[in-house]
């Protein structure tokens, strides 16, 4: 597994055109929930196409803390939950990774209780969990909070109709996992439609659950008495795919990403085309190429899937800062996702932020300097900007990048980038 060091940084010498093929790893935003789902039945599970990233390691620690046995080698993870003895996720782990709260649904569904440290604020602003908790209450759980922990209890959950006030990805997944063992039928309306939710639904069905409608706004779950172990291959990471396509485009090169269906990136690819990037699609790969001098600005607004992914906003902003003309970027999902803009400005970008809008006056020449990651996708965006910048860009605090990109620098180097990790 990778060893992430707090003091590690990337040194990027910009100006090289990237070229070649890269295979995307399994989706971070799917695998963490699949790992949580292994708590629904004490059994043995095998997940393949698992990315070797820090968040996976943290989720493995969460499962091990509860009593599960986890083995991980060459992209294959074996999880044995037959000896799970605790239902408490401690502060140290939840603080490291917010997705730890996804164990609430499975634990209360199978063991009748879950105790999870309250996730603190994070660099994306105060991310609430009220929709998760309201849904669990509707399923019959009793929720209390004491000494910084949320306690969820229910001898047996009861299926019901739940209308989400926002199509939250995490809440949809937590509630799906809770409902699969509830008595009777649950309808989740205004559900999130992300491809990772479809992946979770497939895994739950292979465990014996009765779930329909994942990928649409209405998910129907008929509770079953018990579930069993299963095997599953994690879908490709669409955010990693988008990041590498931008790496090719921002360096004026040509990059093909394999292991991803272009359908899950529809809107993103149409925005790349608006910028002037040439994009070709095959059933399981996407090819992009372009000439930076000809790029033009375009507007983007993040929204729940199939809208423009908030997880690709920062990387796209790096591209828009070198594309001629103005672009307006509107962030509708996470309020603090513009924190990294100051770092992009230090590289020479001209961006003005007003509330959840950013006006990018593109076509600027970027020049390398020292910059600092504020979160995972911001970190990726700074590396992308470094590829286009003149001279050397030093990206610090790259432990954020290690949370979600498998061998980021190795893959970039294989495409011809000059990127080095230094301790
Ligand atoms: C997941 C992804 C994250 C991605 C996001 C949106 C994982 C580990 N993370 O995060 O990478 O950026 O989807 O695609 O899969 N909200 C509430 N109350 C709630 C839940 C959410 O107000 O109970 C708000 C959040 O503050 C945020 C918005 O809803 O403004 C979206 O959150 P959500 O869809 O839940 O994202 P996550 O599941 O946290």
């Amino acid at each position: 597994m990778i060893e992430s060091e707090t003091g590690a940084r990337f040194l990027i010498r910009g100006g090289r055109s990237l070229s070649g093929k890269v295979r995307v790893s399994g989706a971070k935003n799917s695998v963490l929930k699949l790992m949580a789902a292994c708590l629904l039945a004490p059994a043995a599970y095998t997940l393949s196409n698992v990315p070797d990233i820090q968040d996976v390691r943290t989720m493995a620690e969460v499962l091990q803390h509860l009593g599960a046995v986890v083995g991980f080698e060459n992209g294959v993870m074996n999880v044995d939950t037959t000896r799970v003895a605790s239902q408490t996720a401690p502060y140290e782990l939840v603080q490291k990774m917010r997705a730890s709260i996804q164990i609430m649904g499975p634990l209360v569904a199978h063991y009748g209780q879950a105790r999870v440290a309250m996730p603190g604020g994070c660099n994306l602003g105060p991310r609430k969990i009220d929709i998760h908790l309201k849904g669990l209450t509707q399923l019959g759980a009793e929720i209390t909070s004491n000494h910084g922990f949320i306690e969820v209890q229910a001898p047996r959950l009861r299926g019901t109709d739940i209308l989400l006030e926002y199509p939250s990805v995490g809440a949809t997944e937590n509630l799906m996992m809770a409902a699969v063992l509830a008595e009777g039928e649950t309808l989740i309306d205004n559900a999130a439609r992300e491809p990772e939710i479809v992946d979770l639904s497939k895994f739950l069905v292979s465990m014996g659950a009765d779930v329909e409608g994942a990928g649409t706004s209405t998910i129907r779950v008929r509770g079953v008495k018990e579930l069993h172990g299963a095997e599953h291959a994690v879908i490709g990471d669409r955010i990693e795919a988008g990041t590498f396509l931008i790496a090719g485009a921002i360096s004026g090169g040509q990059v093909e990403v394999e292991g991803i269906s272009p359908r899950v990136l529809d809107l993103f690819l149409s925005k790349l085309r608006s910028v002037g990037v040439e994009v070709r699609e095959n059933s399981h790969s996407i090819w992009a190429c372009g000439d930076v001098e000809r790029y033009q600005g375009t507007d983007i607004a993040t929204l729940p899937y199939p809208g423009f992914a908030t997880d690709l906003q920062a990387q796209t902003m790096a591209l828009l800062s070198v594309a001629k003309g103005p672009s307006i970027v509107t962030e509708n999902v996470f309020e603090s996702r513009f924190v990294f803009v100051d770092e992009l400005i230090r590289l020479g970008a001209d961006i003005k932020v007003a509330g959840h809008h950013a006006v990018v006056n593109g076509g600027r020449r970027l020049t390398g300097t020292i910059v600092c990651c504020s979160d995972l996708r911001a970190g990726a965006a700074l590396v992308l900007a470094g590829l286009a910048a003149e001279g050397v860009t030093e990206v610090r605090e790259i432990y954020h990048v290690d949370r979600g990109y498998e061998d980021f620098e190795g893959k970039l180097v294989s495409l011809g980038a000059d990127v080095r990790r230094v301790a």
Side-chain angles (χ1 to χ4, degrees), residues 117-171:
M118 273 184 216
C122 72
N123 296 346
L124 301 183
R127 290 166 77 175
K128 296 183 287 180
I129 56 167
D130 54 321
I131 303 174
H132 301 236
L133 299 182
K134 189 173 170 199
L136 289 171
T137 308
Q138 286 178 273
L139 287 167
E142 200 170 295
I143 296 176
T144 49
S145 73
N146 284 309
H147 306 291
F149 278 83
I150 296 166
E151 296 192 22
V152 189
Q153 295 211 317
R156 176 110 202 247
L157 297 170
R158 288 181 312 276
T160 188
D161 291 359
I162 301 171
L163 173 60
L164 301 184
E165 65 186 80
Y166 183 90
S168 152
V169 179

Side-chain angles (χ1 to χ4, degrees), residues 28-30 32-33 55 97-102 124-134 165-173 192 194 196 238-239 303-305 309-312 332-335 337 376-377 403:
K28 169 184 100 73
N29 288 351
S30 184
L32 302 174
K33 328 307 167 64
D55 272 10
M97 188 190 63
R98 200 188 126 84
S100 321
I101 60 171
Q102 300 302 132
L124 301 183
R127 290 166 77 175
K128 296 183 287 180
I129 56 167
D130 54 321
I131 303 174
H132 301 236
L133 299 182
K134 189 173 170 199
E165 65 186 80
Y166 183 90
S168 152
V169 179
T172 302
E173 292 163 335
E194 269 68 3
E196 293 74 25
R238 63 196 163 98
I239 308 303
L303 280 174
Y305 189 86
T310 174
D311 279 353
L312 281 169
N332 292 311
V333 180
F334 291 115
E335 55 194 62
R337 255 200 165 153
L376 165 60
R377 307 304 172 186
R403 284 189 45 207

Side-chain angles (χ1 to χ4, degrees), residues 21-289:
K21 277 187 196 175
V22 67
R23 173 158 282 276
V24 295
S25 302
K28 169 184 100 73
N29 288 351
S30 184
V31 67
L32 302 174
K33 328 307 167 64
L34 302 176
M35 291 171 72
C38 297
L39 294 166
L40 278 163
Y45 303 83
T46 302
L47 298 172
S48 55
N49 200 29
V50 174
D52 191 355
I53 54 176
Q54 186 58 41
D55 272 10
V56 162
R57 234 202 284 179
T58 305
M59 189 53 110
E61 271 183 69
V62 172
L63 295 182
Q64 283 161 340
H65 178 88
L66 302 176
V69 178
V70 183
F72 182 30
E73 214 174 350
N74 295 329
V76 177
M77 177 171 283
N78 291 302
V79 181
D80 185 337
T81 52
T82 45
R83 294 215 183 95
V84 165
S86 160
Q87 287 81 43
T88 300
Y91 178 71
E92 294 71 29
L93 294 174
V94 181
Q95 180 69 6
K96 256 199 204 169
M97 188 190 63
R98 200 188 126 84
S100 321
I101 60 171
Q102 300 302 132
I103 64 171
M104 262 190 311
L107 284 179
V108 72
H110 182 78
Y111 298 93
Q113 59 175 345
R115 203 167 156 264
V116 177
M118 273 184 216
C122 72
N123 296 346
L124 301 183
R127 290 166 77 175
K128 296 183 287 180
I129 56 167
D130 54 321
I131 303 174
H132 301 236
L133 299 182
K134 189 173 170 199
L136 289 171
T137 308
Q138 286 178 273
L139 287 167
E142 200 170 295
I143 296 176
T144 49
S145 73
N146 284 309
H147 306 291
F149 278 83
I150 296 166
E151 296 192 22
V152 189
Q153 295 211 317
R156 176 110 202 247
L157 297 170
R158 288 181 312 276
T160 188
D161 291 359
I162 301 171
L163 173 60
L164 301 184
E165 65 186 80
Y166 183 90
S168 152
V169 179
T172 302
E173 292 163 335
N174 233 335
L175 298 175
M176 266 166 79
M177 293 191 278
V180 288
L181 288 175
E183 199 178 311
E185 185 173 299
T186 300
L187 267 188
I188 306 172
D189 228 329
N190 197 24
R193 292 182 279 164
E194 269 68 3
E196 293 74 25
I197 288 179
V198 178
D199 204 33
L200 174 61
S201 165
K202 284 186 183 157
F203 184 49
L204 293 173
V205 168
S206 69
M207 289 167 65
D210 185 347
V211 184
E212 278 171 20
T216 76
S217 298
T218 306
I219 300 176
R220 182 188 301 271
V221 183
R222 292 185 189 88
V224 296
K225 284 238 155 45
E226 56 179 16
L227 299 166
H228 49 77
E231 290 182 13
H232 184 81
V234 183
I235 52 164
D237 195 314
R238 63 196 163 98
I239 308 303
E240 188 195 6
T243 304
F244 278 100
L245 290 172
I246 294 178
I250 203 168
S251 70
Q254 43 178 305
V255 165
E256 184 173 1
V257 291
E258 296 179 310
I260 191 81
S261 157
R263 275 189 305 123
V264 300
L265 280 165
D266 264 350
L267 192 53
F268 171 75
L269 297 179
S270 84
K271 290 292 177 183
L272 281 188
R273 289 184 173 110
S274 311
V275 167
V277 179
E278 191 189 335
V279 179
R280 286 188 220 145
E281 304 174 19
N282 294 311
S283 60
H284 284 94
S285 70
I286 308 166
W287 178 95
C289 140

